[in-house]
Amino acid sequence: MRLFKLTVATIFRRKAWAICLFAVLFLPFVLPLISSASEKPVLLQPARIQAAWGTLFICTMFWGFFAAARLGESNTRSGTGEYFRTTGLTATRQLFEIWLAIFVYIVPLAFAAAAVCLLGAMPSESSEKAMWLTLNFQYLSLFLLVFAPLLALATALASRFGGITGFVVTFFVTLYGLYGVGYLDNMLKLEANSALQTLWLYSPQYRFADLTQRLYFKTGALTGEVFSNMVLYFTAILAVNTGISRLCFRTSSNA
């Protein structure tokens, strides 16, 4: 795991992860105080929920994807990947270790967002507390399941096509899956189109993993069947993204 340790140390020295952790932990408590939510105490907890998960998504999509793309490009262009290849570390193993090094920084951010909701927005009704714990666990699980392969995708694309391409493509794929497919769905409801229908059918529906509105309106946790189906769906997408990432990833500019 030498490449993993090297990558972890590189990310640690750049300190951007600390800024993201600070933002996820403190912005949910600061932003509501300078917004209209401060005028109505009943809105403070919902505002914290939106700020916590919103900050997490922003940090992951900007810093996480950027760090993944930068490391993927650096591994190829600096000769690091080629060196580790001569020591017997395969391309698949290199991709895994770079991805794992980034993922270990994303996981604490996700837990921090969930902790803010549990400690700073827990319902007062005792009957709702169990539901709240379950819903936050479901949200945390789906978030990690969605973003884990996207980090690998950014790394792999950057290793082959450059850091800018790796970041931009992954960023817009995520943005499209979170919001674009919703607009496309609304368009299809107004006017049928076979080409757009096919596009929508094969699009990654990342929007289903965004449970912020369920937390905001306290509509309850997902049923076991629905949650299991979502896990299976995003696991299938994970498999597809993993395959694409492995095909794109390379360890040297000449390979």
Side-chain angles (χ1 to χ4, degrees), residues 38-104:
S38 61
E39 300 175 2
K40 295 182 179 180
V42 71
L43 296 179
L44 283 176
Q45 290 187 347
R48 287 172 187 165
I49 293 167
Q50 287 190 318
W53 288 100
T55 303
L56 174 64
F57 273 75
I58 291 172
C59 288
T60 305
M61 291 174 65
F62 281 93
W63 173 73
F65 292 167
F66 176 79
R70 185 176 181 181
L71 290 167
E73 181 182 36
S74 175
N75 187 67
T76 299
R77 296 191 176 182
S78 66
T80 303
E82 193 168 5
Y83 164 74
F84 279 106
R85 189 72 179 266
T86 62
T87 65
L89 204 63
T90 64
T92 301
R93 185 60 182 267
Q94 288 189 38
L95 175 60
F96 171 74
E97 292 193 16
I98 295 173
W99 165 82
L100 185 61
I102 303 167
F103 194 60
V104 296

Side-chain angles (χ1 to χ4, degrees), residues 5-186:
K5 293 178 181 178
L6 175 63
T7 309
V8 167
T10 300
I11 297 174
F12 184 82
R13 290 194 190 97
R14 290 172 180 169
K15 298 295 187 297
W17 61 269
I19 299 174
C20 293
L21 183 61
F22 177 85
V24 172
L25 286 173
F26 290 98
L27 286 184
F29 296 96
V30 175
L31 292 179
L33 298 178
I34 58 177
S35 67
S36 59
S38 61
E39 300 175 2
K40 295 182 179 180
V42 71
L43 296 179
L44 283 176
Q45 290 187 347
R48 287 172 187 165
I49 293 167
Q50 287 190 318
W53 288 100
T55 303
L56 174 64
F57 273 75
I58 291 172
C59 288
T60 305
M61 291 174 65
F62 281 93
W63 173 73
F65 292 167
F66 176 79
R70 185 176 181 181
L71 290 167
E73 181 182 36
S74 175
N75 187 67
T76 299
R77 296 191 176 182
S78 66
T80 303
E82 193 168 5
Y83 164 74
F84 279 106
R85 189 72 179 266
T86 62
T87 65
L89 204 63
T90 64
T92 301
R93 185 60 182 267
Q94 288 189 38
L95 175 60
F96 171 74
E97 292 193 16
I98 295 173
W99 165 82
L100 185 61
I102 303 167
F103 194 60
V104 296
Y105 283 94
I106 297 298
V107 171
L109 296 181
F111 273 92
V116 169
C117 292
L118 293 175
L119 301 176
M122 178 73 78
S124 57
E125 295 290 335
S126 58
S127 59
E128 296 180 346
K129 290 184 179 180
M131 174 276 296
W132 198 252
L133 289 169
T134 302
L135 183 55
N136 276 278
F137 168 77
Q138 291 174 340
Y139 200 171
L140 177 65
S141 302
L142 293 175
F143 173 85
L144 294 176
L145 191 58
V146 165
F147 279 92
L150 289 170
L151 293 169
L153 183 63
T155 303
L157 291 176
S159 72
R160 182 167 294 274
F161 304 109
I164 295 177
T165 301
F167 171 76
V168 171
V169 171
T170 309
F171 182 86
F172 279 104
V173 166
T174 308
L175 205 64
Y176 171 71
L178 287 172
Y179 307 107
V181 289
Y183 290 109
L184 185 59
D185 188 26
N186 291 331

